[in-house]
Amino acid sequence: MTQVEIGRGKTGRRAYALDEIGIVPSRRTRDPEEVSISWQIDAYRFESPVVVSPMDSVVSPHTAIEIGRLGGLAVLDLEGLWTRYEDPQPLLDEVATLSAEAGTRRLQEIYTAPIQDDLIGRRIAEIRGAGVTTAVRLSPQRTVQYHKAVIDAGVDIFVIRGTTVSAEHVSGRAEPLNLKQFIYELDVPVIVGGCATYTAALHLMRTGAAGVLVGFGGGASHTTRNVLGVVVPMATAISDVAAARRDYMDESGGRYVHVIADGGMGGSGDIAKAIACGADAVMVGSPLARAAEAPGRGFHWGSEAHHPDLPRGRRVEFGTIGTLAEILHGPSSVADGSMNLMGALKRTMATSGYSDIKEFQRVEVVVAPPQS
């Protein structure tokens, strides 16, 4: 891999963001109605390769159920408002009225309320009772403390998600989570991340995870690049992790670990390009924060926005453009890629001549200057 000289004492690879690449149509085209965008992880099959990010502004028990009925998978944040408060709606309404200056401090105050074990079970039971696949998220720091309540409640898919998750976390203050032992002892598929490099992804795959999250999540509301200086452009990150998946298949004798692009999925074109780079599915937040049903009422924030010591996110106002159904499946009334996300993906695949997700991962891409 070509190294670029940054200065006399430092070199680095040139990496690419999704808006720096383009999809190349092939010699064959297809009817969009004959394209399949279904996706399966473990025993669970979904009509759309969409995993909705565990953010309080987007996923409530109600929206998780609705997204499941629309063919996707929504992940409820078990460290969010829905497990801290019996009825968080008044607080969600308040957040929508805050000024930009007061937003971060007030979010920090709201999220100091303790997580209630009984609410974990009740929220999971509510989603399960609707007959849709139930997925929940915990951070690595709280997984050991709350995982038993999650498993006892009958969750289908367990997501361990942080800004950066490592299979080799080192701490002199507390015993770190042993991912390999933990995943081995569970009877449910585990998705873990984020990560952004070949080596980190390979180590996470060796833990037995069913899926790996690529990226640092929360692209639109994240300030990690500004606060920590940490950034890996998504096109390169996805491609590197897809290479780790290929090599891990050889190493493990054929075990396939799903790659889920997490962060930076601002519109339908980003979703298509993420899959073209090797993702099996995408984790989205901001596109669905614009839905009429979204708990944030047009505002969007992630768990990093209310960190008590070092917030690495902000509350962003997107407004409302349509229903969940319209944003995912149309019809669209705008031409900016913010609605009918799945219809656009089908059309991209049809224009490129591919009939399903696995085939489309082989599509040719080019480096293209970002649009101004």
Side-chain angles (χ1 to χ4, degrees):
M1 186 70 67
T2 302
Q3 295 285 311
V4 178
E5 182 181 293
I6 297 169
R8 288 181 181 272
K10 183 69 71 173
T11 61
R13 279 199 301 154
R14 172 69 166 94
Y16 296 94
L18 291 172
D19 63 359
E20 294 179 281
I21 68 165
I23 294 168
V24 180
S26 68
R27 62 180 177 82
R28 180 186 295 114
T29 57
R30 295 182 181 274
D31 185 332
E33 295 305 314
E34 297 176 1
V35 169
S36 170
I37 57 171
S38 63
W39 170 64
Q40 182 164 335
I41 182 167
D42 204 82
Y44 303 99
R45 185 178 187 276
F46 306 95
E47 293 305 312
S48 302
V50 170
V51 182
V52 183
S53 185
M55 295 176 163
D56 283 339
S57 54
V58 181
V59 180
S60 66
H62 171 73
T63 58
I65 293 167
E66 182 63 17
I67 290 161
R69 289 171 176 166
L70 290 169
L73 174 68
V75 183
L76 183 70
D77 185 6
L78 293 184
E79 298 174 29
L81 298 178
W82 297 96
T83 56
R84 297 175 190 264
Y85 297 93
E86 183 78 30
D87 179 15
Q89 194 57 55
L91 293 169
L92 290 162
D93 294 342
E94 178 191 350
V95 170
T97 67
L98 296 173
S99 66
E101 296 74 21
T104 297
R105 184 174 297 277
R106 182 57 180 142
L107 283 173
Q108 288 175 314
E109 294 170 350
I110 289 171
Y111 282 89
T112 59
I115 297 169
Q116 302 179 43
D117 288 55
D118 66 310
L119 284 177
I120 291 177
R122 285 163 55 189
R123 301 309 187 198
I124 293 173
E126 183 178 349
I127 300 171
R128 279 185 60 84
V132 300
T133 304
T134 306
V136 299
R137 172 261 180 186
L138 285 170
S139 66
Q141 294 84 358
R142 287 196 165 108
T143 293
V144 172
Q145 182 178 359
Y146 294 110
H147 80 276
K148 188 175 186 305
V150 173
I151 299 303
D152 289 347
V155 75
D156 296 313
I157 298 175
F158 197 151
V159 179
I160 302 174
R161 180 179 185 258
T163 302
T164 303
V165 176
S166 155
E168 297 181 6
H169 181 66
V170 178
S171 174
R173 295 182 301 163
E175 184 69 25
L177 174 66
N178 185 325
L179 275 174
K180 189 169 187 177
Q181 179 181 345
F182 178 79
I183 292 173
Y184 177 78
E185 293 174 353
L186 291 182
D187 290 328
V188 299
V190 176
I191 297 172
V192 62
C195 69
T197 67
Y198 172 95
T199 302
L202 191 59
H203 285 204
L204 289 178
M205 291 172 184
R206 288 169 177 162
T207 67
V212 170
L213 298 171
V214 185
F216 304 120
S221 61
H222 237 276
T223 59
T224 298
R225 180 173 187 166
N226 305 86
V227 177
L228 301 182
V230 174
V231 60
V232 181
M234 282 296 287
T236 295
I238 296 166
S239 299
D240 284 350
V241 176
R245 175 186 60 202
R246 177 199 61 212
D247 292 348
Y248 178 69
M249 282 186 68
D250 292 339
E251 173 188 304
S252 63
R255 184 173 182 272
Y256 190 91
V257 179
H258 294 267
V259 172
I260 303 168
D262 180 10
M265 302 297 123
S268 54
D270 297 321
I271 293 172
K273 287 189 278 188
I275 294 173
C277 287
D280 298 289
V282 297
M283 180 169 271
V284 301
S286 59
L288 298 185
R290 298 177 172 93
E293 303 95 322
R297 294 174 50 186
F299 285 85
H300 185 48
W301 66 93
S303 59
E304 298 81 9
H306 53 78
H307 192 282
D309 301 316
L310 190 65
R312 301 180 303 282
R314 58 177 176 261
R315 187 192 54 142
V316 180
E317 183 177 6
F318 285 116
T320 301
I321 60 173
T323 65
L324 285 170
E326 289 169 337
I327 292 172
L328 284 173
H329 300 298
S332 173
S333 58
V334 295
D336 60 3
S338 62
M339 298 182 74
N340 196 4
L341 303 179
M342 296 300 97
L345 176 59
K346 283 186 175 182
R347 189 165 293 274
T348 301
M349 292 169 60
T351 301
S352 305
Y354 295 91
S355 60
D356 60 41
I357 294 291
K358 295 308 300 177
E359 284 190 358
F360 185 57
Q361 289 172 342
R362 300 196 296 267
V363 70
E364 181 183 355
V365 299
V366 294
V367 176
Q371 291 179 310
S372 58

